[in-house]
Amino acid sequence: MSNKTFFTPGPSQLYPGVSDFLNEALEKDLGSISHRSATFQEVYGEMVSQLRKLLNLPDNFHVFTLGSASEAWERIIDNLSKPGDTTYHFTNGSFSKKFFSYSKGLERNAVQYEAPFGEGFDMAKADIPANTEIITVTQNETSSGVAVPLEDIYSIRQQHSDKIIAVDVVSTLPYPDFDYSKIDTLFFSVQKSFGMPAGLGVWIVNDRCIEKAKSLADAGYKASPHHSIASLLKMAEKNQTPATPNTLEIFLLSKVCEAMNVKGVDTIRKETEEKSNLLSEFVASSSNFDFAVKNEAHRSKTVIVAETKKTPAEINAYLKPFDMQIGGGYGDYKTSQVRIANFAATTVAQMKALIELLKQEDKY
Ligand SMILES: *Cc1c(COP(=O)(O)O)cnc(C)c1O
C-alpha cells in the first residue's frame, strides 16, 4: 500500500491493519478452503461475534452476509413484503432514492417523502399510510451529507409499531449507538465506514423480520430463491452461507471488528466527533468552502459535504504531493461540492494534517 490517505466516502481509506489481515487470510488458505469446512465456520462465527460486540447487538438480531448493500435493498423489499404492498421511503439523495426505486421495480406500491438534496426531514410531515409494510430510512445519505437523527427514526416506531423499519447504515456504522428495540433491520457494505475493500454486504434482521417472511411464505408468497431469509437463517445457524461466500472479506471484517473492539467503540465515537468538530470549524471559517447542509441538526458527522469555489479536481491536484485525496460531489454536484469522509480508518492527526493543508490552500 502507498502512503496515501483517502478521505473519499467510498471506496475509502482502509482500516489500519487490513494489509496484514489480508496476508494472514492468504497464509491461512482462506482463498481455497471449502465454505462447508469447520475452518470456515470458525471464521464466520468469529466475524459474527466480533460484529455483535462492536454494535452491541441484542440476541434477537441475526447477522447475514450478502454481496453488497444494494443487494440488501432488494432482499428487504422482496422478503418482507409482496407485490402490491405499500412501502414508505424517506428520500433525499441518490442512495435513499435507489432504495425507493428498487421497491417500485419490485412492483410494490412505493410511496416517498422526498426532501430536497441537502435537506433532512420534518418527521411531523411524514404521512405514512396505515397499510404500509416497510418504512425505509437512509440514516446517512452519502450523496448529500444529510444524517437522520436517531431520535427521529425512533419517533417512527412510536406511531407505527406494527411496521418493519429498515435502516441503511452504509456510511455511518459503527458511529451511531442504536436502541435496537426501535428498528427491525439494518445493513451496510464494507467499503465505506468499515474501511475494507468492496465486495461484501452485511444484513442484520430481528425476529420480527424472520416471522414476517415466514408468514408471507405460509400465505403462499414466493420470495426470490436467491438469499431468501429462510435460507440465510438456516445456514447462518450453522455459521455458513447459502452460496459460496467471500471468505476473504468475511475474515477481514472479523479482524477489522476485532481491531475496532480493541480500540473500543466509545473511543471511535469520540474521535469521530472530535474530527467532525475540527472539520466543521474549518469549513465555517473557510473562504473556499461553505456547508452544503444548512441545518446543523441534519449534518452528517461521518460524511462532511461542502460547497466549494475551487473544483474538487483542483483541490485534489494540490493535495496530491501530500498523499491525500478528498471526494468530489455526487452526480450533479460533482464539481460544485466536495465530500470528506470522516470514518474510523483515519486518525485525529491525519484529519488535522488535511485541515492544515486545506487552510493553506484557502489563501491562493
Ligand atoms: C454506497 C451506498 C450504498 C450502496 O452500496 P453498494 O456496496 O454499492 O451496494 C447504499 N447506501 C448508501 C447510503 C451508500 O452510501
Side-chain angles (χ1 to χ4, degrees):
M1 270 166 67
S2 75
N3 284 326
K4 191 161 180 169
T5 310
F6 289 85
F7 293 91
T8 47
S12 311
Q13 177 66 23
L14 297 182
Y15 199 77
V18 163
S19 145
D20 292 339
F21 304 152
L22 201 48
N23 273 326
E24 192 181 334
L26 294 172
E27 274 163 23
K28 288 188 156 141
D29 292 328
L30 296 187
S32 307
I33 63 154
S34 163
H35 55 297
R36 302 295 175 225
S37 65
T39 307
F40 176 79
Q41 288 173 304
E42 273 166 38
V43 168
Y44 188 96
E46 179 65 12
M47 180 277 286
V48 172
S49 82
Q50 291 291 349
L51 186 64
R52 279 188 177 287
K53 181 174 172 196
L54 182 70
L55 303 181
N56 197 19
L57 265 189
D59 288 343
N60 63 327
F61 277 76
H62 310 265
V63 176
F64 305 140
T65 55
L66 305 175
S68 63
S70 318
E71 191 195 342
W73 290 332
E74 182 165 314
R75 297 283 83 81
I76 287 168
I77 302 298
D78 183 51
N79 279 275
L80 304 175
S81 68
K82 57 183 189 306
D85 279 355
T86 297
T87 60
Y88 190 88
H89 310 265
F90 288 89
T91 66
N92 62 347
S94 307
F95 294 105
S96 46
K97 278 192 186 145
K98 278 190 197 161
F99 203 168
F100 164 68
S101 73
Y102 271 45
S103 189
K104 274 203 300 194
L106 291 165
E107 297 182 339
R108 271 54 170 176
N109 172 35
V111 179
Q112 64 174 327
Y113 168 3
E114 187 179 8
F117 192 85
E119 290 184 26
F121 306 98
D122 176 355
M123 289 322 226
K125 290 197 183 136
D127 189 11
I128 302 174
N131 65 349
T132 299
E133 300 293 333
I134 305 171
I135 299 168
T136 76
V137 184
T138 302
Q139 202 265 322
N140 201 67
E141 176 48 79
T142 319
S143 62
S144 67
V146 173
V148 180
L150 299 191
E151 290 304 328
D152 284 356
I153 299 177
Y154 302 161
S155 74
I156 303 171
R157 173 65 102 219
Q158 271 158 21
Q159 290 167 42
H160 302 277
S161 57
D162 56 328
K163 302 173 179 40
I164 296 286
I165 299 175
V167 188
D168 179 332
V169 286
V170 172
S171 54
T172 182
L173 226 56
Y175 174 63
D177 185 6
F178 279 107
D179 173 350
Y180 293 97
S181 69
K182 304 287 199 323
I183 61 174
D184 298 296
T185 176
L186 60 163
F187 61 90
F188 62 93
S189 44
V190 294
Q191 74 276 16
K192 295 180 190 175
S193 49
F194 275 84
M196 288 169 48
L200 186 72
V202 175
W203 183 25
I204 302 173
V205 304
N206 68 4
D207 284 336
R208 291 181 77 204
C209 296
I210 308 272
E211 282 150 25
K212 173 119 195 201
K214 190 172 179 306
S215 70
L216 282 165
D218 289 348
Y221 166 66
K222 287 190 173 55
S224 163
H226 181 59
H227 282 168
S228 67
I229 279 200
S231 69
L232 288 163
L233 180 67
K234 185 172 157 228
M235 300 312 282
E237 279 169 350
K238 297 190 278 189
N239 284 328
Q240 289 188 9
T241 56
T244 318
N246 192 336
T247 306
L248 278 185
E249 288 257 277
I250 291 172
F251 179 76
L252 287 186
L253 180 58
S254 166
K255 299 300 277 187
V256 166
C257 288
E258 183 184 354
M260 287 182 172
N261 282 325
V262 167
K263 180 162 190 169
V265 74
D266 291 340
T267 306
I268 290 174
R269 287 176 181 142
K270 272 197 207 108
E271 286 185 3
T272 302
E273 279 166 13
E274 184 181 351
K275 289 183 291 171
S276 157
N277 288 341
L278 290 167
L279 206 46
S280 295
E281 276 165 30
F282 163 65
V283 170
S285 67
S286 166
S287 56
N288 180 59
F289 297 112
D290 196 5
F291 290 111
V293 180
K294 304 300 173 205
N295 182 345
E296 198 181 340
H298 293 163
R299 225 174 260 160
S300 168
K301 292 204 171 15
T302 53
V303 180
I304 286 77
V305 180
E307 315 278 0
T308 179
K309 290 186 189 132
K310 289 172 191 154
T311 65
E314 283 174 286
I315 296 166
N316 275 327
Y318 167 79
L319 291 174
K320 198 168 180 217
F322 303 100
D323 279 331
M324 288 186 210
Q325 185 179 333
I326 62 171
Y330 196 93
D332 293 345
Y333 303 86
K334 196 175 168 54
T335 55
S336 62
Q337 294 187 342
V338 294
R339 294 179 302 151
I340 302 177
N342 175 28
F343 297 151
T346 53
T347 61
V348 175
Q350 285 170 320
M351 187 60 85
K352 281 184 176 163
L354 172 69
I355 292 169
E356 225 23 73
L357 286 169
L358 293 176
K359 265 187 195 160
Q360 291 304 316
E361 220 245 344
D362 245 11
K363 294 179 191 152
Y364 297 105

